[in-house]
Amino acid sequence: MDRLNNGVVEGIHGINSMSAVSLLAICALWPIVFGVRSLALLITAVAGGFHLGFVSVSLVLAVLVSLCIDIAIFLPSFSERARQMVGVRFPGLLASIVCVSSAAFGFALLKVAYASGGLGILLGLLALLGALLPTLSVLVPHRMLMFLASLSTAAGVFIASGDLQFVLGAMVYLPAMLLVALLRSKDDREAEAKIDRQKLNNERARCLLSDYEKSGRGWFWETDRHGRIAYISDAAIEAIEGDPQTIIGQPLSSVICSPGSESGGSERTFNFHFSARTAFSDLAVRVARSEEERAWSLSGGPFYNEFGQFVGFRGHGTDLTEVRRSHEAVTQLARYDNLTGLANRLYIKELFEKALTGHRGEPNPCSLFLLDLDRFKQVNDTLGHPIGDLLLKQVSERLKRTIGDSGEVGRLGGDEFQVVLPGIISEERLADIARSVIVNLSHPYMVEGNQIVIGASVGIAVADGRHVSGAETLIRNADLALYSAKENGRGIWKFYSEDMHKVAHERRALEGELRAALQAGGMSVAYQAVVDVATETIAGFEALARWSHPVRGAISPAIFVPIAEESGLIMQLGEWVLRTACSDAASWPRQVRIAVNVSPMQFADPAFPAIVLNALAQSGLEPERLELEITESVFLDDKLDAARIFERLKGIGVRLALDDFGTGYSALGYLRTAPFDKIKIDQSFVRGAAQSGSANSAIIRSIVSLAEALNMETTAEGAETIDELELIRSLGCSHVQGYIYGKPVGIAEACERLAGIDSHVEPIGHKRSRENRFKVLRTIGIHHDGYCYPARIKNISPGGALIEGLWDVPAGTQFEVALGVNLKVRATARWSVQDRTGLQFDVPISLEKFRQSAPPQLSTGYPEQQRA
């Protein structure tokens, strides 16, 4: 019966009403009612002695009506269209048919019973009762039909009896039963609607949960009372990478473990909650059986049956793998440098602060390195930033290998690095580490076929752990030490000392005094002659800024110009020099030019061409007499439209000179694109060019040839001796500038020199160039003819020295000179004036070795002073 019922119901498409389902179930089971009714009629007729003489028209009609209607009720079991009509379109039709059928059956059965008489009436009533019970059982799913069927049967019986009492009873009974049926039917409809709503909600919830699981945002699980998996979503099974058939029935704790371990914390936590039967939320676990690292968050709680018995746990889970990866990526970006993978500025400072302070807040010993790469900017400017980035990666790897487990390395930005060394305060140990860093970082690099050599400078600050030292203070100290290392030649390390604060304070004071001097007119301009090599006449002057401090005296440009550049005062200083030089040169002969240096900051100013034009207009100087000296560094700023600025300056009519050519970033592309009128050869190539074996002369010759090919003039800077001047002249330089023609002079003396412009300018200075000498004061031993004479050395170079203490030494006298412990050299006296003697070493010495050697120990038995 259930199978037949289910078959009928499953044939209904789009029917969700419980009423329609119950009606169709009645249709499917109605053949049973039909059979019982037919059997009841047959038993009543046979047992009561019914014969054809009792047949009447009303009886025949009642039997036919009952038969036809019963068949009609069963039709929906065979016809889809009939099912739709009964179940969807006319749900009241079946109720009407059942009522008519029941009334016709009651009428027919009672007619047969009355026709049989006596025993037939009793049998008829019993048969009626027997047929009514199965009918009502079939109609139980629809209580309204059950009551209507019973009322209709009773109505048929009353009508068939023809008894007035029966009719009066029916008139009372039928409305009462109808009222009861209506009331019960209303309750049934409400209960049925509630069940429909519950089913609809259940279906909606099922769909929502299914969609939630399919979206990947979460999944569900359930265990039995022993902690074994009773249900788990497909998404979780996929993460476990197991067979659904084998996963079900396994303990849930066997497929999870704590993050980062194969066993431990989290599964025991789950077992604890399970044993205690307490709910838990957002329990972080890791999938133990997954090849890929996957993280879950589980929430759940116990559930009980209707008798209060513990059944198991159920809950939901969320896959946190992508969230955790995103969190790790954000952490990586927040704490680590994106290019090198080192700790970034914020994170290395955080590590430094933690290293300085112990768990209880007491100060800990710690050291800090600040590193700056030497010549890295040149790599970016010549090879490009992509090569520079690749170089920084290699530098970072070397730095990490060098530091190892001793500390933490971070990148502050650009080519600046920071190293935190907890617990290390020994200067010897720190010096060894710094030396290793500098040596390792100075080895050549190979980056995409380019061999690159750079260096590093290191500043060191130490917290001894005895006093609380703030991170900011130590960082400042290390920065001062780094600045000192770079000031003292780069490629070295420096420990912080209190004197560095004094130096920094001095620089700040000089900056303020320089600013005041610019505002109060405390600066001046000196002019150094530029001489035409062919005619030996003054072709022009170069304007040089000078600062005579009222207290400190003359301050070198090598000191105040860098301060001006760092503070931004170079813009104001440069404009003042330009205007002053143009005003002074306006009164000079028309053939004399004035050269003015232009800083990269001035050149980058979009208003600079307008400033030049205004200075020329105010002074009345012809534009072609102004020569702007520009260094190659102006080409290094990719954002600067140098070509546009050059075009505007040439439009004014001024001349352009490329200053300090041959140093730093020289590239022929600059000469090809920029409209220079002159190339100035840096003094580093001029000095010593006349010495034997120097390659500087070949470099000068190449630059002169290049300039001639480009129709440019050349000026050799820094000439000081006659032999250098002769070399410059022989190599074809068009102009020369240097102490050989005098030091820079004031405006008055410059005008005096121009008064004899038609006469030759005589060179002054030494005849030959000599190596740079370094002042020193040390007692040495002079060995000659078995005696050792003490003497004092005043200055020294790799090839010779000036000594005092020996009187009237004949030129050509040979000595053995004890310069230091285990450092002796043979020398010859070249000249002697009173107690001063010039020595020439037979073999050049190493000045570095001389500096590192201790003074010689002289025996006291020798004369303190002898005449040679």
Side-chain angles (χ1 to χ4, degrees), residues 371-374 437-438 441-442 454-458 490-493:
L371 286 82
D372 187 84
L373 301 182
D374 302 330
V437 167
I438 293 173
L441 296 187
S442 298
I454 59 174
S457 301
V458 181
R490 300 176 179 268
I492 60 175
W493 70 90

Side-chain angles (χ1 to χ4, degrees), residues 507-523 545-547 549 552 555 559-565 567-570 572-573:
R507 289 182 66 87
R508 288 195 297 270
L510 280 176
E511 178 185 335
E513 292 169 355
L514 177 60
R515 193 182 305 274
L518 283 172
Q519 294 175 353
M523 307 295 293
R546 291 293 184 263
W547 182 16
H549 194 279
R552 305 172 189 266
I555 298 178
I559 296 177
F560 71 77
V561 169
I563 294 176
E565 290 177 341
S567 62
L569 292 174
I570 194 66
Q572 183 180 351
L573 176 61

